[in-house]
């Protein structure tokens, strides 16, 4: 089933075209990595899906609902920002409570995830007093606990220690197996290779590569995704 | 109530005394005061015992003494002038005089004295009268120890003056208390009179108001919380000494308003919490010395039409504005006063500050010329401006200054 | 309901910011010192008024705008949930303005309870108005300027202008054009500045109004009249509502 579809998405800031007609779709059980250099349009694309940026043209559907129909579609999204920057004086429990009240949903998976991330000792602590890694885990907890069909994860492993990072990746794979669709960005392409099924490579506001990871590797004859991408882009020129 | 039978034998022993005593009371032989006056001869005493007398107007037209015992009440029933004295040498004392008539055309009074000399009006209580004690063309009279309370209605239109003198001379007004009249004490064409020890407070307009009244003396009076304070106008050679001007507060209220006053002396007075301590409008050759100006809005406002006045050895203590003027020049002499806001120093220790004091602030100068600036009262900008001025006095646009400010308060009180 | 929830959570966060309690404590201490130094009702009132006119706008605009910039990331997280943008911004506004008003009330409470005069109630009212107005202005500035440093500078300039420079401007106008009848102009100039309106709201109810001299009657008549009260109330309400609505309007169309 199709979870996310982006059709001919366009956006410009003060005359500067950032997205020049981006289209792709994502089905359940898929992990899509959005890659690209700085200013390629990655951030704008993600912001458009989340509703932070209002597109100039094109349309986005989440679970078949157009984002133009209002904020309701966001109940299908769990978002994990690049940097978890939440109110310092609210405790983890209160943050959970806040999102729950705002979404009108029960955090059905919170117990399971708290256990998985080892967060139970921190539930009553103010967010501002937590370590960077713990904050990242809290951020993941908030994104996953409402069990939405689509996750949008912006550089999810950047603040995690290697052990936590490995655990997180295996969590992602399990989520994929449970039928979730995941959109993630990362600057570590090797990491993407381990979890992502497909790659969307943006350059100057256009989709340059939209292909399965396996497919990319076999086509290029490379073993590493990074090299495969470079090779493919080089061939196009 | 009255002392009946016992006193009757006294009455029945007439002719022995030089002057007869006629008693009036409910159970006396004479029950009406007017009747008693009719019976009395010059020099007689009419003694009225307690009780209430409603006789329209009591006409005192002979030189007799009217003496109330236990404060008999004379009631004008809101219709009549209560007491009218038209003879000289009358003593009127010890009565409660209440409820005179009210008229828009006539000045109806509780006690009116017309064309008389040598009257004494003493120790009476006057309540709820239109005018209180009204003297017209009277000389050599004494008003002493009377208490006057005007009609309670909150308007100067329906209330006359407390003690009102018109074309009088050589009158003494001593230790009276006047409240809630239009003007507490009002003089018009009153000469060589002496006003001492009176309390005039909470009158609708002025506590004391006089016009064209030369050579008068005001000593140890208190003028407190009057609608517009005290106004003295068109008068020469006034002496005001040891009076207290207190809490006369309001947009157009003054401790003392001097309008067209010359050659007068204002010494040893206290001006406390008035909007304006003294406002000098067309005031000439007047000495203001040894006064205390405490916590007034303005201690002194001098308009450009006032000149040759001397303001010296006064204490200016905690006034919002010390002096205000609408003139760039300084035709008056401000010298050797004590200013509590003075921030100068005295290196040679002679008790006189080494730099002049400039008591006029820029804001008060602008306000004096442009009343609209009043909208900025208590504005932070204005407060800041005043602070800056105390550091850089150069911005003050007037020459008014005290070249010899005193370092210590003047001790003029004994 | 969602708005209420957002407001309450913002409230919870604000309540735990110690620096904000210092604001209430500062007002409280200043009020206490005035009460201690002078039992005189008018003096205490006017001292508190001066502080209120200066500090309340400053704290409201400065704290609100920095708080807004500092919460930018969390606002984005919230907006990734099924919430309307207006709800998030309005919730923040309500939490901030109500809590700042509450702290203000707490700060001046000892003096208010001590004297219980009408003028003190008006002081509280004008403090509330100023809090709402300057919080709304902070939101407007915060929504229009991306950069924190620039937004904070604009907020400070706005504060400086309304709290100080505008009165200097009025005084200059009066000084320069004193020969013309200026009452209407001056009334107009005070109506456009919330700090002046708040000041007059209290000052006209006190004895100090007498220092306005001849103009007292004129201003009293205007601000005391039905029309004048209506205009001043309208101006204060517009000062709070218009910036807020503009901020909401802009925020709903803005790329975050």
């Amino acid at each position: 089933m199709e979870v996310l579809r982006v059709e001919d998405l366009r956006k410009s800031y003060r005359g500067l075209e950032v997205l020049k007609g981006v289209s792709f779709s994502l089905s359940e059980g898929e992990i899509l990595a959005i890659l690209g250099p700085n200013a390629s349009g990655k951030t704008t694309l993600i912001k458009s899906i989340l509703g932070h940026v209002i597109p100039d043209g094109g349309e986005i559907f989440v679970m078949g609902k157009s984002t133009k129909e209002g904020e309701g579609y966001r109940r299908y999204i769990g978002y994990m920002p690049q940097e978890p920057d939440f109110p310092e004086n609210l405790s983890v429990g209160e943050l959970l409570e806040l999102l729950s009240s705002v979404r009108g949903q029960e955090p059905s998976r919170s117990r399971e995830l708290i256990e998985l991330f080892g967060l139970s000792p921190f539930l009553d602590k103010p967010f501002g007093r937590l370590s960077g890694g713990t904050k990242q885990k809290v951020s993941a907890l908030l994104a996953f606990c409402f069990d939405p069909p689509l996750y949008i994860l912006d550089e999810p492993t950047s603040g995690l220690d290697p052990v936590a990072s490995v655990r997180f990746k295996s969590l992602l794979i399990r989520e994929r197996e449970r039928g979730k669709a995941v959109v993630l960005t990362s600057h570590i392409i090797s990491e993407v290779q381990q979890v992502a099924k497909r790659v969307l490579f943006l350059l100057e506001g256009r989709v340059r590569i939209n292909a399965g990871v396996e497919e990319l590797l076999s086509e290029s004859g490379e073993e590493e995704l990074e090299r495969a991408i470079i090779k493919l882009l080089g061939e196009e020129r | 109530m009255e002392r009946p039978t016992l006193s009757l034998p006294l009455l029945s022993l007439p002719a022995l005394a030089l002057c007869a005593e006629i008693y009036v009371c409910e159970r006396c032989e004479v029950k009406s005061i007017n009747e008693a006056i009719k019976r009395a001869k010059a020099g007689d005493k009419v003694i009225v015992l307690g009780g209430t007398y409603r006789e329209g107007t009591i006409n005192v037209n002979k030189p007799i003494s009217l003496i109330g015992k236990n404060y008999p009440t004379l009631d004008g029933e809101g219709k009549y002038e209560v007491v009218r004295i038209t003879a000289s040498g009358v003593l009127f004392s010890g009565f409660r005089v209440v409820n005179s008539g009210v008229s828009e055309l006539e000045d109806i009074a509780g006690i009116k004295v017309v064309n008389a000399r040598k009257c004494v009006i003493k120790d009476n209580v006057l309540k709820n009268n239109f005018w209180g004690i009204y003297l017209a063309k009277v000389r050599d009279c004494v008003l002493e120890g009377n208490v006057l309370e005007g009609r309670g209605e909150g308007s100067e239109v329906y209330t006359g003056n407390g003690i009102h003198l018109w074309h009088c001379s050589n009158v003494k007004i001593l230790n009276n208390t006047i409240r809630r009249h239009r003007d507490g004490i009002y003089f018009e064409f009153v000469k060589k009179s002496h006003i001492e020890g009176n309390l005039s407070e909470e009158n609708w307009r002025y506590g004391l108001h006089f016009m064209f009244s030369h050579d008068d003396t005001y000593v140890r009076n208190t003028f407190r919380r009057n609608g517009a304070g005290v106004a003295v106008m068109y008068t020469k050679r006034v002496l005001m000494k040891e009076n207290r001007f207190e809490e006369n507060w309001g947009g157009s209220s003054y401790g003392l308003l001097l309008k067209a006053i010359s050659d007068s002396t204002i010494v040893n007075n206290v001006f406390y919490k008035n909007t304006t301590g003294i406002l000098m409008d067309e005031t000439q050759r007047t000495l203001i010395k040894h006064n205390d100006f405490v916590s007034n809005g303005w201690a002194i406002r001098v308009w450009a039409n006032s000149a040759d006045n001397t303001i010296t050895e006064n204490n200016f203590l905690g006034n919002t504005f010390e002096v205000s003027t609408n003139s760039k020049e300084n035709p008056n002499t401000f010298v050797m006063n004590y200013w509590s806001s003075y921030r100068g120093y005295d290196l040679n220790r002679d008790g006189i500050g080494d730099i002049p004091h400039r008591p006029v602030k820029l804001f008060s100068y602008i306000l004096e010329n442009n009343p609209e600036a009043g909208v900025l009262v208590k504005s932070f900008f204005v407060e800041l401006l005043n602070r800056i001025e105390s550091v850089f006095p150069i911005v003050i646009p007037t020459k008014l200054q005290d070249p010899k400010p005193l370092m210590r308060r003047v001790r003029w009180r004994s | 309901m969602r708005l209420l929830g957002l407001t309450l959570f913002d409230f919870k966060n604000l309540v735990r910011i110690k620096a904000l309690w210092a604001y209430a404590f500062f007002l409280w201490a200043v009020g206490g010192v005035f009460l201690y130094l002078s039992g005189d009702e008018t003096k205490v009132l006017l001292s508190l008024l001066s502080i209120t006119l200066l500090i309340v706008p400053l704290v409201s605009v400065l704290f609100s705008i920095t708080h807004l910039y500092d919460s930018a990331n969390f606002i984005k997280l919230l907006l990734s949930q099924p919430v309307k943008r207006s709800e998030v911004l309005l919730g923040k506004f309500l939490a901030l303005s109500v809590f700042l008003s509450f702290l203000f009330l707490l700060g001046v409470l000892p003096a208010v309870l001590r004297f219980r005069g009408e003028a003190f109630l008006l002081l509280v009212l004008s403090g509330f108005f100023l809090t709402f107005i300057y919080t709304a202005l902070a939101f407007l500035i915060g929504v229009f300027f991306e950069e924190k440093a620039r937004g904070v500078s604009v907020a400070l300039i706005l504060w400086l202008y309304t709290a100080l420079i505008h009165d200097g401007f009025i005084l200059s106008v009066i000084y320069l054009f004193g020969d013309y009848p200026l009452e209407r102009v001056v009334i107009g100039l005070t109506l456009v500045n919330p700090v002046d309106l708040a000041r007059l709201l209290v000052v006209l109810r006190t004895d100090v109004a007498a220092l306005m001299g001849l103009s007292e009657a004129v201003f009293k008549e205007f601000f005391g009249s039905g029309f004048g009260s209506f205009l001043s109330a309208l101006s204060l309400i517009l000062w709070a509502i218009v910036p807020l609505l503009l901020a909401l309007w802009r925020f709903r169309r803005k790329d975050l």
Side-chain angles (χ1 to χ4, degrees):
Chain A
M1 197 196 138
E2 192 181 71
V3 176
L4 170 69
R5 193 167 84 242
V6 176
E7 281 179 0
D8 193 29
L9 193 67
R10 290 167 188 280
K11 178 70 189 177
S12 46
Y13 293 111
R14 295 188 191 91
L16 186 74
E17 269 192 295
V18 183
L19 294 178
K20 301 169 180 168
V22 171
S23 305
F24 66 94
S25 67
L26 185 64
S27 300
E28 53 180 21
E30 271 194 315
I31 298 182
L32 174 72
I34 297 180
L35 303 175
N38 284 338
S40 58
K42 268 188 309 183
T43 311
T44 308
L45 174 59
I46 290 202
K47 282 180 166 183
S48 302
I49 299 168
L50 291 168
H52 296 175
V53 158
I54 296 151
D56 298 334
E59 210 160 358
I60 300 167
F61 298 91
V62 178
M63 298 297 283
K65 267 199 158 183
S66 169
T67 59
K68 288 177 181 171
E69 288 167 25
E71 71 283 352
Y73 75 92
R74 289 186 219 135
R75 81 180 65 243
Y76 304 122
I77 298 177
Y79 169 55
M80 188 176 159
Q82 188 167 359
E83 270 176 59
D85 184 7
F86 308 151
E88 301 209 331
N89 300 304
L90 293 185
S91 70
V92 178
E94 283 167 335
L95 284 169
L96 208 56
E97 209 181 309
L98 168 58
L99 288 203
S100 170
S101 90
V102 154
R103 294 180 76 110
Q105 292 172 318
E106 283 300 310
S108 52
R109 297 180 65 198
S110 59
R111 197 172 288 189
E112 166 203 341
L113 291 165
I114 287 167
E115 205 170 309
L116 181 73
F117 294 134
L119 283 174
S120 40
F122 304 108
L123 286 183
D124 293 329
K125 294 244 163 72
F127 185 76
R129 294 233 205 105
L130 303 179
S131 71
T134 315
K135 284 180 176 173
Q136 198 75 12
K137 287 177 191 165
V138 171
S139 183
L141 168 69
L142 295 179
F144 290 12
C145 66
F146 297 99
D147 206 22
L150 174 63
Y151 298 143
I152 293 179
L153 315 173
D154 202 357
E155 300 274 356
T157 54
S158 60
L160 295 178
D161 57 77
V163 179
S165 185
V166 169
R167 270 200 209 153
F168 186 77
K169 278 177 258 174
S170 52
L171 171 70
L172 275 190
I173 289 164
R174 258 182 289 138
E175 293 299 314
R176 184 185 71 194
E177 282 160 3
R178 290 181 66 225
K180 304 289 178 185
V182 181
V183 173
L184 73 90
T185 68
S186 178
H187 63 285
I188 308 166
I189 297 183
S190 60
E191 217 176 58
V192 170
Q193 190 178 352
Q194 294 164 26
V195 290
K197 192 177 164 195
R198 280 174 53 215
V199 166
L200 192 75
F201 194 91
L202 292 181
L203 196 65
E204 289 168 358
R206 287 202 174 86
V207 178
R208 300 301 297 266
I209 300 171
N210 181 2
V213 173
E214 305 272 304
E215 194 185 331
L216 274 173
L217 292 177
S218 63
E219 245 176 61
S220 62
E222 295 283 345
E223 283 181 11
E224 281 178 40
L225 185 58
E226 196 165 3
R227 284 174 174 276
I229 290 169
I230 294 169
K231 199 170 180 184
L232 271 171
L233 289 175
E235 276 173 13
E236 275 189 32
R237 283 194 192 137
Chain B
M1 295 284 278
E2 66 270 25
R3 307 212 326 266
T5 40
L6 268 179
S7 55
L8 284 174
L10 285 174
L11 257 181
S12 54
L13 293 170
L16 287 176
L18 272 174
C19 51
E21 292 186 345
I22 302 171
Y23 282 77
V24 180
C25 68
E26 210 177 303
R27 288 197 233 158
C28 301
E29 183 195 340
V30 182
K31 295 185 171 56
S32 143
I33 300 168
N34 274 326
E35 176 63 25
I37 294 170
K38 204 176 277 178
R39 292 190 186 188
K41 290 191 283 291
D44 283 355
K45 278 186 189 170
V46 172
I47 297 168
V48 182
L49 303 179
T52 300
Y53 299 84
R54 297 189 180 84
E55 301 188 25
T57 301
I58 311 273
N59 269 303
V60 188
N61 48 16
K62 325 178 162 165
I64 55 171
S65 297
L66 256 86
I67 297 164
K69 299 276 186 205
N70 295 331
Y71 286 98
T73 299
L74 312 183
D75 189 345
E77 300 175 73
K79 287 182 260 181
Y80 307 105
E81 188 143 86
V82 190
V83 178
R84 186 176 182 90
I85 298 171
T86 49
S88 294
V90 170
L91 167 68
F92 183 85
S93 155
F95 288 92
R96 281 185 81 232
V97 179
V98 301
N99 305 335
S100 78
V102 177
S103 162
E104 286 179 20
L105 304 172
E106 288 171 81
D107 301 342
I108 300 179
I111 302 170
K112 189 176 270 183
V113 186
V114 182
N115 270 328
R117 292 183 57 192
K118 293 192 174 168
C119 56
V120 176
I121 297 174
K122 210 177 150 184
D123 301 330
N124 300 290
V125 175
L126 289 90
K127 280 201 172 139
N128 198 30
N129 297 295
F130 190 30
W131 254 252
I133 302 175
Y134 192 121
L135 273 55
K137 299 196 174 171
V138 165
R139 286 163 58 196
D140 310 321
C141 270
V142 178
L143 310 183
E144 187 173 356
N146 300 291
V147 176
L148 297 91
E149 284 186 16
R151 290 149 45 77
E153 283 147 59
S155 147
E156 63 179 55
V157 180
Y158 296 103
T159 310
N161 300 323
I163 295 178
H164 181 104
L165 275 68
W166 180 70
H167 276 290
C168 296
S169 70
N170 201 20
V171 174
K172 288 190 169 58
I173 298 178
L174 310 171
N175 304 323
N176 300 285
T177 300
I178 309 109
R179 292 193 184 91
R180 288 192 289 284
H181 273 280
R182 182 198 288 169
D183 291 343
I185 302 173
Y186 177 90
F187 285 9
E188 197 174 340
F189 307 112
V190 176
K191 304 201 169 44
K192 294 184 180 139
S193 292
H194 185 79
I195 297 88
E196 180 164 349
N198 300 286
L199 168 64
S200 178
E201 64 180 7
E202 292 166 14
N203 295 290
W204 304 121
R205 200 168 65 178
Y206 297 114
L208 167 70
H209 183 191
F210 61 85
M211 300 202 280
F212 315 108
S213 296
H214 310 310
D215 303 303
D216 292 329
T217 311
Y218 304 83
V219 187
R220 283 199 296 281
N221 301 288
T222 298
F223 303 102
R224 187 188 291 149
R225 288 194 293 275
N226 295 292
V230 167
V232 301
M233 300 176 168
Y234 309 102
T235 297
K236 294 169 188 158
R237 300 180 300 279
V238 180
L239 170 63
M240 304 194 93
K241 198 175 151 186
E242 296 171 37
N243 300 290
R244 295 186 65 89
F245 301 83
E246 298 176 342
E247 298 173 47
N248 297 291
W249 196 270
S252 51
S253 184
Y254 311 93
L256 178 56
L257 163 65
L258 303 175
K259 165 82 181 165
I261 296 296
S262 60
D263 304 293
S264 295
T265 307
I266 297 166
V267 293
N268 297 9
N269 301 286
V270 174
F271 297 85
Y272 175 69
K273 279 198 177 174
N274 304 286
T275 315
T276 302
I278 300 182
L279 173 65
M280 298 166 76
D281 180 7
E282 282 184 69
T283 301
Q284 269 79 35
R285 298 181 300 281
T286 289
L287 174 68
I288 298 178
K289 188 175 175 181
H290 288 174
N291 300 287
D292 280 357
F293 296 88
V294 187
S295 302
N296 300 287
W298 288 267
I300 297 183
R301 288 164 66 194
V302 200
W303 285 358
N305 55 17
S306 298
D308 305 322
N309 301 291
T310 303
I311 295 95
T312 186
E313 292 180 39
N314 299 289
N315 294 311
F316 292 85
L317 309 169
N319 301 287
T320 309
F321 303 110
E322 286 171 333
V323 178
S324 165
T325 180
N326 57 352
S327 168
K328 286 194 200 300
E329 303 302 320
N330 179 23
N332 301 292
T333 306
F334 284 82
V335 70
M336 291 181 80
N337 295 287
Y338 173 75
W339 311 88
S340 64
S341 73
Y342 181 59
R343 294 284 170 270
Y345 41 82
D346 178 21
L347 291 182
N348 58 0
R349 307 225 164 218
D350 61 352
I352 292 169
D354 296 348
I355 51 170
H357 179 62
R358 293 165 174 274
V360 183
K361 291 183 171 152
L362 176 61
F363 179 63
S364 67
Y365 177 82
I366 296 175
L367 188 54
E368 201 63 68
N369 287 286
N370 309 95
E372 296 92 346
V375 80
L376 294 177
V377 159
K378 292 314 283 183
S379 149
F380 179 58
F381 178 81
V382 169
E383 314 263 307
L384 201 67
L385 196 67
N386 292 341
R387 290 283 145 81
I388 293 170
E389 256 175 359
S390 58
V391 186
F392 307 104
I394 204 81
V395 294
I396 301 169
T398 170
K399 289 178 184 163
L400 195 155
Q401 62 173 33
D402 184 338
K404 293 181 174 178
L406 299 180
M407 296 306 290
R408 291 225 185 115
R409 210 175 141 166
V410 183
R411 301 279 164 200
W412 53 262
R413 273 184 266 204
S414 48
Chain C
M1 265 348 269
R2 218 156 36 191
L3 177 63
L4 190 70
L6 284 163
T7 309
L8 285 178
F9 272 98
D10 262 324
F11 220 89
K12 249 186 211 172
N13 185 32
L14 291 173
V15 165
R16 294 172 193 169
I17 297 176
K18 290 190 187 77
L20 275 178
W21 289 95
Y23 166 56
F25 180 75
F26 171 77
L27 289 171
W28 181 84
V30 167
V33 167
F34 291 146
L35 272 175
Y36 177 75
L37 289 180
S38 153
D40 185 60
E41 179 170 351
T42 310
K43 274 189 189 158
V44 174
L45 176 73
L46 291 174
S47 310
L48 274 179
L49 177 66
S50 302
I51 294 290
T52 301
L53 294 177
L54 213 58
I55 297 297
V56 170
L58 181 65
V59 169
S60 302
V61 82
L62 216 54
F63 182 80
S64 299
I65 200 161
T66 43
H67 182 72
L68 202 58
Y69 282 121
D70 291 346
S71 338
N73 282 329
F74 189 62
I75 289 178
K76 281 180 200 164
L77 182 85
L78 282 177
L79 291 177
S80 311
Q81 319 298 324
V83 193
K84 284 196 171 63
R85 286 187 175 195
S86 52
E87 288 174 326
V88 170
L89 204 68
L90 207 56
K92 274 221 168 304
F93 173 78
L94 287 177
L96 268 170
S97 47
V98 169
F99 188 58
L100 287 171
S101 296
F102 166 73
L103 289 175
F104 167 74
L105 178 66
L106 215 60
V108 297
L109 205 58
V112 174
L113 289 181
R114 165 83 174 70
F115 295 110
R116 291 162 189 258
E118 182 207 20
F120 277 90
L121 292 181
L122 285 167
L123 174 77
V124 171
L125 188 69
S126 44
F128 285 174
F129 263 121
L130 289 176
T131 305
F132 275 76
I133 288 169
Y134 282 84
T135 305
L137 287 169
F139 274 59
L140 181 63
I141 296 166
V143 162
F144 270 89
F145 292 92
E146 287 305 314
E147 229 177 291
K148 181 174 174 182
R150 189 172 291 187
V152 170
S153 313
V154 171
L156 276 176
I157 289 168
L158 181 85
W159 169 76
L160 200 65
Y161 182 80
T162 49
L164 188 66
I165 297 169
H166 187 74
D167 285 357
F169 174 67
I170 295 180
L171 196 64
S172 316
V173 167
I174 291 172
Y175 192 60
L176 294 175
F177 303 101
D179 297 338
Y180 303 91
L182 286 174
E183 269 145 10
R184 276 156 182 268
V185 178
V186 168
I187 285 174
L189 284 173
T190 51
L191 273 178
V192 299
N193 184 359
V195 177
D196 278 334
L197 278 173
R199 178 169 53 81
L200 287 175
L201 191 67
V202 177
V203 163
L204 282 173
R205 281 348 185 256
T206 68
D207 289 347
V208 191
L211 295 183
M212 294 166 74
L214 290 179
S215 54
E216 183 203 359
V218 176
F219 294 119
K220 255 195 174 150
E221 193 183 327
F222 176 78
F223 288 106
S225 73
F227 181 64
S229 320
F230 170 73
L231 273 190
S232 358
L234 185 72
S235 172
L236 286 172
I237 290 167
L238 285 181
W239 265 108
I241 285 186
V242 171
L244 181 64
L245 289 181
L246 276 175
L248 284 172
W249 175 81
R250 172 85 186 117
F251 190 62
R252 277 168 58 185
R253 281 156 188 78
K254 192 183 158 180
D255 293 324
L256 300 172

